[in-house]
Amino acid sequence: MSYRPLADEIRPTTLDEVVGQSHILGQNGLLRRIIESGSIPNLIFYGPSGTGKTTVANLIAKRTNRPLHRLNATTASISDIKDIIADIGTMLAPDGVLLYLDEIQYFNKKQQQSLLEFMENGKITLIASTTENPYFYVYNAVLSRSTVFEFKPLEGSDVVPAILRGLEYMARRSETPLTWEDGVVEHIAQACGGDVRKAMNAVELLSGAARVTEEGRRITLEDARMAAQRSAMRYDRAGDDHYDILSALQKSIRGSDPDAACHYLARLLVAGDLVSACRRLMVIACEDVGLAYPQIIPIVKACVDAANMLGLPEARIPLGDAAVLMATAPKSNTGHIALDLAMADVRAGKTGDYPRHLQNRHADSAGLEREQGYLYPHDFPHHWVEQQYLPDALVGTRYYTYGENKTEQAARRYWEEIKGKGGSR
């Protein structure tokens, strides 16, 4: 008998055995009602690995009388699709086929388009799964003919029933009594990062390597910790998780939460992504702290330089300083907002000629520089003199508004006193 992984051996046979996903598979969940109706449309399942996408596809196959074909887009080709299409209408598939296409994001446009005609006439019912956002990776023609269901990451508590089922199955198969210490189930559930497949792999490994005792074999919490270390990390530098962690890091610092900032930075560093962590911290310094604490930019730059010089694991020390400092610093986005507004005007064609007195002297004939009319601010009290700087077409335009933080308000008061304008803008 050939070997089958535990995850396949005890794969759920009913919807009630599928862990999590109550939002779509609960008693009144839409996907459950679709499956129970037996009338299956084209479907796209989107979510992390190990959250039940393949399991649900198998359960759907049981509700239809169509032959089930499985393809993985990482290895399948056009010829594999042609072989499936060739069966349609024959004795092998008189009423069409159910095609489960895993990792559809790896199919190019031509490969995806080859399915369209048969999806349209109902000869192929497509159930595709992807770990990436389908609205980015699945072509519109396929997407418009399908219903998308998101499979959400599982919590540790969601995975506990599956782990218990796996341990009990391994105990029944064991020639000697198999037991486990208190805390083993909970630790595996927490460490698997919401991936049932990872949890089942850990159960199988620990069951096979259980310690021999006088009473039989026993899985210890120490072994569970060793087997499951770092397995909770879900991170793909080219996938959605990469951008989600970076986004969460920036939003946590912007929201002045140093604990969340440390958490998301830790996830980047444990995954070894020093480059992305450094780059994003520099962006945050300029975008979210900015003029409220102008010294933050050279400080974070120094931390980033130190981190790159040290490398991991020591790089965590200056980067931790940078993250906590920015999370607890005052915030301002006025500088880059002002520039964004100015760039929008430039892109819209709102420019105009440079004021004559701002042009470079090369525009003047030799000896006629004074005709330019430029007033040199350093020759005046407080190094300021009133003159026009914006083009004629933009005179009076305001891009920058002083932030409410102490630094920018001090600058506002300083210039209001010198310029004698009073009031704020």
Side-chain angles (χ1 to χ4, degrees), residues 73 94 130 182 200:
T130 176
D182 290 342
M200 292 302 99

Side-chain angles (χ1 to χ4, degrees), residues 115-133:
L115 302 169
L116 291 177
E117 175 187 349
F118 298 93
M119 291 173 63
E120 191 73 37
N121 62 26
K123 295 299 184 181
I124 287 180
T125 299
L126 175 69
I127 303 176
S129 71
T130 176
T131 56
E132 305 295 346
N133 191 326

Side-chain angles (χ1 to χ4, degrees), residues 42 44 104 109 111-116 119 126 128 138-147:
N42 298 304
I44 295 176
I104 189 176
K109 186 174 183 179
Q111 288 172 309
Q112 292 188 29
Q113 286 178 332
S114 66
L115 302 169
L116 291 177
M119 291 173 63
L126 175 69
V138 179
Y139 288 93
N140 286 335
V142 174
L143 204 58
S144 66
R145 292 166 174 78
S146 308
T147 302

Side-chain angles (χ1 to χ4, degrees), residues 7 10 23 54 68 70 75 79 83 144 149 236 276 300 366 391 405 420:
I10 65 167
H23 63 295
T54 301
L68 174 65
R70 292 185 176 88
T75 56
S79 63
D83 290 342
S144 66
F149 285 98
D236 177 2
S276 295
V300 173
N405 58 83

